[in-house]
Amino acid sequence: RAKKARTGFEVYDDAQDRDAWDRLAMVEALRLALDRGQLSLAFQPIVDARTRRPRSVEALVRWIDPERGFVPPDVFLPLAEHAGLMPLVTRNVLDLAFDEARELRQLGHEIAVSVNLSASDLIDGRLEHEIAQRLIVRDLPASAVKIEITESLLVHGGRATEFFLAVRELGMELLVDDFGTGYSSLAYLHDLPVSTLKIDRAFTNRLTTDPRTAIIVASTIDMAHRLGLNVVAEGVETEDELARLQTENCDLIQGYLISRPLPAADLHTWLSTAAEE
Ligand code: C2E
Ligand code: CA
Ligand code: CA
Ligand code: CA
């Protein structure tokens, strides 16, 4: 259907119109997927940088559209944001993530699930209540779930501070995602109840090839530790990168070297072998 529609638009011979049409069609397909509960989550292990023992998993949203196939979150989340669908997406993600947090406990894994939030999630004032409610309904401790927020959200999220304080009140950990890519202000780290910094993949990638990046990473880890924060390095793909991060005393790592994001069933298999080491 989308192909036909696209051809129909070609009479205008205007690439921008076509793009606009594609975006609109994708938003409608996403709306349908949300209605039908067709979004899912993949879970990527976050492990101790020295022992490689699993400490938590990050929940990453997945959408497989019948026509488009796998659509990366980097593509559909900005559209969802624009179309006002983000509250629905986030509620879906929270339901699935909290369900998995419960499942992990029932399987005997004391492992937290961390969930990504975007700036528009903090516009309405109900999110912290919805989070608290989901904990109660599933009889979960606050330590079973963590929240990942980006630096830009710290700067632009209207109710950000209010939300963070409520989340801390619950006893839930906050992680600063994509650290170093945004408006890196170290000042807020001091004021906010953040437990962990996640160094963005872009830094991990260049760690072993670019001396300046290595300096930035080393001093970020040092600074975080002085502030009493843990550090996760994202996107670790090679043993060289891991060795370098160990030298710099990075606490936790996440990346294809350890595991790709996995469907829940595969995660459970992965965890059962990882724990046996
Ligand atoms: P992020 O939070 O920085 O998540 C890490 C991204 O890096 C994920 O991409 C993950 O699959 C990918 N990744 C992990 N290890 C490696 C590696 O070793 N090498 C490479 N090349 N990539 C690696 P993904 O799943 O495509 O998600 C992209 C972004 O979409 C996320 O970046 C996050 O900002 C956003 N996102 C994903 N799920 C959600 C969600 O449920 N809610 C919200 N608000 N945002 C989400
Ligand atoms: Ca993240
Ligand atoms: Ca990142
Ligand atoms: Ca890399």
Side-chain angles (χ1 to χ4, degrees):
R1 256 194 305 122
K3 281 214 185 75
K4 236 187 184 168
R6 206 176 290 148
T7 321
F9 254 83
E10 262 160 22
V11 292
Y12 295 97
D13 196 28
D14 182 338
Q16 272 190 340
D17 272 0
R18 237 164 20 241
D19 287 353
W21 173 260
D22 285 347
R23 283 199 297 274
L24 209 64
M26 193 180 276
V27 165
E28 286 321 308
L30 179 62
R31 212 186 287 276
L32 214 60
L34 280 160
D35 265 1
R36 296 173 175 170
Q38 288 169 342
L39 294 191
S40 65
L41 295 181
F43 300 93
Q44 189 176 34
I46 298 174
V47 305
D48 185 292
R50 296 200 181 280
T51 65
R52 302 197 191 195
R53 279 183 162 277
R55 290 282 176 260
S56 56
V57 294
E58 177 175 6
L60 295 158
V61 69
R62 294 292 178 255
W63 176 31
I64 295 156
D65 178 67
E67 285 179 30
R68 297 167 181 81
F70 173 77
V71 186
D74 284 338
V75 171
F76 77 80
L77 290 177
L79 293 181
E81 192 103 37
H82 205 70
L85 289 175
M86 218 41 210
L88 265 177
V89 172
T90 297
R91 262 150 215 144
N92 260 265
V93 166
L94 287 173
D95 281 337
L96 295 167
F98 279 63
D99 283 347
E100 179 59 17
R102 172 131 189 94
E103 180 74 18
L104 286 173
R105 266 151 206 267
Q106 280 168 344
L107 292 168
H109 303 295
E110 287 277 309
I111 279 181
V113 177
S114 67
V115 182
N116 293 281
L117 294 185
S118 63
S120 63
D121 291 323
L122 300 192
I123 289 169
D124 82 74
R126 292 196 315 271
L127 197 63
E128 53 262 43
H129 303 294
E130 295 200 18
I131 287 172
Q133 201 57 40
R134 282 175 172 81
L135 285 177
I136 293 165
V137 167
R138 292 172 185 76
D139 194 24
L140 285 167
S143 60
V145 178
K146 302 178 197 233
I147 305 287
E148 300 197 5
I149 47 169
T150 57
E151 290 178 276
S152 60
L153 183 149
L154 288 167
V155 179
H156 299 297
R159 298 182 51 260
T161 310
E162 216 176 315
F163 173 77
F164 299 152
L165 293 174
V167 163
R168 181 181 56 184
E169 198 66 25
L170 285 173
M172 204 171 271
E173 268 186 48
L174 281 175
L175 290 75
V176 176
D177 214 350
D178 297 346
F179 188 77
T181 60
Y183 312 81
S184 283
S185 155
L186 303 180
Y188 66 75
L189 289 178
H190 187 66
D191 302 330
L192 289 169
V194 166
S195 72
T196 305
L197 296 189
K198 295 189 80 170
I199 295 179
D200 191 62
R201 189 166 89 219
F203 292 94
T204 309
N205 282 339
R206 296 194 298 259
L207 183 60
T208 53
T209 50
D210 173 26
R212 295 171 69 90
T213 300
I215 292 169
I216 293 169
V217 169
S219 32
T220 301
I221 294 172
D222 184 52
M223 175 206 66
H225 286 166
R226 284 161 186 262
L227 289 168
L229 306 173
N230 285 318
V231 180
V232 180
E234 283 184 345
V236 179
E237 290 180 351
T238 67
E239 291 288 349
D240 280 354
E241 287 165 358
L242 173 59
R244 188 62 188 255
L245 289 160
Q246 287 173 331
T247 307
E248 304 300 348
N249 285 317
C250 187
D251 305 284
L252 299 155
I253 59 159
Q254 174 180 11
Y256 294 169
L257 176 67
I258 302 301
S259 170
R260 292 193 171 250
L262 303 169
D266 295 348
L267 172 71
H268 301 157
T269 310
W270 187 91
L271 283 172
S272 62
T273 53
E276 274 163 17
E277 278 175 17

